[in-house]
């Protein structure tokens, strides 16, 4: 990132993990904020990988500040195994939290749903409730349970959605917040101040508010699981890296973490061990299994002067080699980076989807308001009740998450599954172009070559 001013600056690339994005309108907002930073030539944000890839001369601190100003969190990425492990740990924690919140919301919502909607499904349920606990007490119970659903597991939607709405940049959380609060607020009035409502409109919609929150939590949980599965290929590639290296330092043999190996170090490798970094043989002879790189199952003979690749497996002989590429410069690190970049890239069709979804949430809120006015003006009695229910329905069914996630998730699944089977895509765009391929020719090792 410290290239001199000039041509190198224009091609510098910074990758930032972005937290807090929930829908495609978030993607558009982060991209817009990044592109407004002086020196940025291009910015691509991927919802599925939750990463922003920025090209240009801007420094990481300016980019992080721009993302924070847009209402999201970011931090520079160092492409190290520890950083990847930290991201994986955070995603696992997020999935566990979503599972806990969904389970609690479901347990609290089920009685509300049965009390209010059971009468529509089970004959005599309405009379049974009236004859036992009473309709008003049923409403009090629904109020308590729905309040717990909304403000314990569902609090995330209001903490993020309402500030975004007040900033004039509504997102998916804003849709959930406005829809559920509208149903909840109307029900509160019907429960505790029914005299304020016109005759015939005193009804409660607690189940709508509770079910909204529970279903969106379920969607978020499934989304988190899909993201976790699609990044498993990267985890497996990272798992191929050796964790330690045996080095000659100051006349002694020491075992150190592979991150501490520097170019020029002499590294010893024993039979059956995985080679920690890339290098050049200086002592000994052996055969090395390089199938994970070349696809060739036959071990390759190595003598002094031969090059060895990190993560390949030494066979029967012992040897020493001089490290020539370490850290992010090794072949395996470049393969991992290439797969990550392919997973994070956008297909040509995704640009069109992003343009649509950027304006999707505000458009939905306008349609919901018009729906409410139309039912109030022309709807049958009780018009207010119908107006509320239909406006809330418009807000809730219009989830742009699917549009924003469909394409990037398909890229992650395709590139991830390909990496598991030994097929590496350098660009996500290759997936879209592959649909036009009629013949694929490979050599005996399964390697695709030019010519």
């Amino acid at each position: 990132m410290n290239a001199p001013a000039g041509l190198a600056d224009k091609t510098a690339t910074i990758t930032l993990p972005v937290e807090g994005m929930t829908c495609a309108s978030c993607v558009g907002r982060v991209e817009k904020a990044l592109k407004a930073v002086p020196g940025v030539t291009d910015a691509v944000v991927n919802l599925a990988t939750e990463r922003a890839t920025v090209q240009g001369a801007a420094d990481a601190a300016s980019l992080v500040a721009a993302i924070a100003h847009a209402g999201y969190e970011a931090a520079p990425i160092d492409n190290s195994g520890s950083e990847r492990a930290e991201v994986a740990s955070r995603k696992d924690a997020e999935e566990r939290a979503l599972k806990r919140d969904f389970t609690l919301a479901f347990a609290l919502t089920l009685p509300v749903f049965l009390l209010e909607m059971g009468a529509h499904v089970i004959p005599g349920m309405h009379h049974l409730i009236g004859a036992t606990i009473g309709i008003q007490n049923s409403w009090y119970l629904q109020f308590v349970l729905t309040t717990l659903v909304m403000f314990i597991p569902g609090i995330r939607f209001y903490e993020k959605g309402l500030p975004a709405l007040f900033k004039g940049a509504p997102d998916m959380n804003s849709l959930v917040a406005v829809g559920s609060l509208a149903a909840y607020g109307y029900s509160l009035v019907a429960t505790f101040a029914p005299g304020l409502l016109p005759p015939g409109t005193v009804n409660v919609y607690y189940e709508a508010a509770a079910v909204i929150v529970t279903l969106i939590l379920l969607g978020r949980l499934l989304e988190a699981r899909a993201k976790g599965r699609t990044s498993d290929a990267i985890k497996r590639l990272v798992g191929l890296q050796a964790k330690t290296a045996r080095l000659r330092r100051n006349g002694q043999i020491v075992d150190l973490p592979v991150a501490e190996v520097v170019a020029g170090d002499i590294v010893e490798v024993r039979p059956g061990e995985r080679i920690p970094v890339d290098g050049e043989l200086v002592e000994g002879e052996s055969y090395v299994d390089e199938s994970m790189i070349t696809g060739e199952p036959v071990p390759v003979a190595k003598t002094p002067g031969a090059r060895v690749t990190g993560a390949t497996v030494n066979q029967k002989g012992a040897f020493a080699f001089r490290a020539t590429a370490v850290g992010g410069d090794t072949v395996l690190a470049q393969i991992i980076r290439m797969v990550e970049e392919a997973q994070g890239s956008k297909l040509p069709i995704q640009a069109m989807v992003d343009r649509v979804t950027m304006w999707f949430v505000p458009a939905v809120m306008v349609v919901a308001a018009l729906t409410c006015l139309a039912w109030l003006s022309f709807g049958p009695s009780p018009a207010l009740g119908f107006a509320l229910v239909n406006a809330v329905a418009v807000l809730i069914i219009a989830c742009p998450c699917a549009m924003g996630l469909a394409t990037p998730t398909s890229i992650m699944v395709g590139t991830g599954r390909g990496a598991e089977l030994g097929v590496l895509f350098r660009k996500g765009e290759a997936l879209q172009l592959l649909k036009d391929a009629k013949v694929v020719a490979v050599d005996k090792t399964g390697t695709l070559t030019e010519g």
Side-chain angles (χ1 to χ4, degrees), residues 353 368 444:
V353 173
K444 64 179 173 30

Side-chain angles (χ1 to χ4, degrees), residues 33 40 61 105 126-127 170 179 182 229 234 269 300 401:
V40 172
H126 187 74
H127 296 294
R229 279 197 298 271
I234 295 290
V269 182
V300 180
C401 298

Side-chain angles (χ1 to χ4, degrees), residues 281 285-290 298-303 306-308:
L281 227 70
E285 295 182 357
S286 186
Y287 284 86
V288 175
D289 178 1
E290 297 185 335
V298 180
V300 180
K302 298 292 180 180
T303 55
R307 301 192 68 79
V308 290

